[in-house]
Amino acid sequence: MSATDAELEPLIREVNDSHRALRQKIEALVRTAGGNRRIVYKTTLSDGGEVKLRDDVTPLFEGARVFQDRWKLSEHCAQLLKQATGAVDCIAEIGVETGIYSSFLWEKFIPERMILVDVKFSNFRAENQRTGMEKYEGYSSAVIPTLDDNSLDFAYIDAAHDFANVSADIEAILPKMKRNGIIQFNDYATFNLRFALPYGVKAAVNNLINSRRVSVVGHGLCPLGFDDVAVRVL
Ligand SMILES: C[S@@+](CC[C@H](N)C(=O)[O-])C[C@H]1O[C@@H](n2cnc3c(N)ncnc32)[C@H](O)[C@@H]1O
């Protein structure tokens, strides 16, 4: 059962009014505090807090490029891997949903195998299935550790978006990546305004960049702020 537009109208108005009221409260708070005083309240709502990138690792961003969207960034990753190895052996998407991005990745990387991981495949559309795709149903925390070590050329991470789960996905996927393999992260953000939901992706990915042997390959922009970032595992 789904509601009609007319039935949704009052709810949509209420959400928009709440956004406006919240903005007015924040403006009043800033005005009342006065000047440049730093006010301590949840500015990002990120459940991973604020993680700044280190600036003492020179090659970290060397050769990194900015792309107009995530699709162009993935295409770039495919080109880099194909240039380096000739052919791509195995890629993975963690968090698949309809499979629209899986089929796109399949066309761009032309891998031998593609591993798809999702807690449920009920939303997967048959037209996105390709021979060579292997579906693993279950939580990423349970499935990723069962994959072979040093087996993935590329991984697209887009499952849970809270700090703890994204950090766990990163730890689990790292040993599964081949040397010079690339991990692309969707929703490199601190907050999902649409669902008023804190995101920990940016904090978890920044922790990875700060603390492990990786270099940034590129950044895919998104008009709504749900950018992608890709890193190479050195
Ligand atoms: C945003 S959707 C993925 C969209 C897809 N990557 C794309 O670009 O079209 C997130 C998917 O991750 C799945 N998911 C969420 N948390 C998960 C987890 N902990 N383990 C496995 N799958 C998860 C959800 O079922 C959902 O299908």
Side-chain angles (χ1 to χ4, degrees):
M1 191 198 81
S2 60
T4 63
D5 283 359
E7 284 166 336
L8 287 177
E9 181 82 14
L11 271 174
I12 292 172
R13 209 175 314 117
E14 203 180 318
V15 169
N16 286 338
D17 288 348
S18 308
H19 279 162
R20 199 171 311 112
L22 178 61
R23 203 181 65 232
Q24 284 165 358
K25 275 191 183 166
I26 291 171
E27 282 167 4
L29 176 63
V30 171
R31 260 199 319 277
T32 310
N36 293 325
R37 193 172 131 200
R38 187 170 161 82
I39 311 161
V40 180
Y41 72 104
K42 280 194 143 190
T43 45
T44 69
L45 297 179
S46 162
D47 63 344
E50 184 180 334
V51 180
K52 292 191 172 131
L53 288 169
R54 314 164 47 163
D55 60 2
D56 58 340
V57 191
T58 322
L60 204 55
F61 290 91
E62 222 165 69
R65 290 177 52 185
V66 178
F67 295 86
Q68 72 197 79
D69 54 38
R70 65 175 180 152
W71 312 78
K72 293 274 187 301
L73 173 59
S74 292
E75 263 186 270
H76 176 62
C77 295
Q79 273 167 13
L80 288 178
L81 289 172
K82 281 192 250 174
Q83 272 162 18
T85 59
V88 175
D89 175 31
C90 188
I91 68 173
E93 184 179 20
I94 314 299
V96 172
E97 205 171 32
T98 62
I100 186 171
Y101 210 67
S102 326
S103 57
F104 170 78
L105 292 174
W106 179 269
E107 308 306 337
K108 295 299 162 190
F109 285 80
I110 323 174
E112 287 289 318
R113 296 170 63 211
M114 180 168 188
I115 287 160
L116 306 184
V117 179
D118 204 297
V119 73
K120 59 177 164 62
F121 279 96
S122 48
N123 292 327
F124 189 82
R125 295 202 197 120
E127 74 257 25
N128 294 320
Q129 178 74 47
R130 301 286 184 278
T131 322
M133 283 182 178
E134 300 165 25
K135 295 205 201 86
Y136 291 77
E137 191 164 281
Y139 284 103
S140 51
S141 54
V143 175
I144 298 174
T146 68
L147 306 178
D148 290 340
D149 283 356
N150 300 311
S151 62
L152 301 177
D153 295 287
F154 176 84
Y156 192 77
I157 309 280
D158 189 16
H161 290 66
D162 60 285
F163 180 72
N165 273 305
V166 179
S167 302
D169 284 348
I170 290 172
E171 285 310 313
I173 207 85
L174 278 174
K176 310 301 169 188
M177 301 303 300
K178 290 184 189 168
R179 186 152 181 260
N180 288 324
I182 297 175
I183 313 175
Q184 182 170 338
F185 295 92
N186 183 235
D187 298 326
Y188 176 72
T190 56
F191 187 64
N192 182 334
L193 192 57
R194 193 163 168 231
F195 295 116
L197 198 65
Y199 270 8
V201 182
K202 189 172 280 202
V205 173
N206 285 3
N207 274 340
L208 165 71
I209 295 170
N210 282 339
S211 63
R212 308 302 271 267
R213 292 203 67 237
V214 297
S215 68
V216 177
V217 171
H219 190 139
L221 301 173
C222 166
L224 297 175
F226 300 111
D227 295 359
D228 274 35
V229 161
V231 302
R232 193 189 275 284
V233 181
L234 301 173

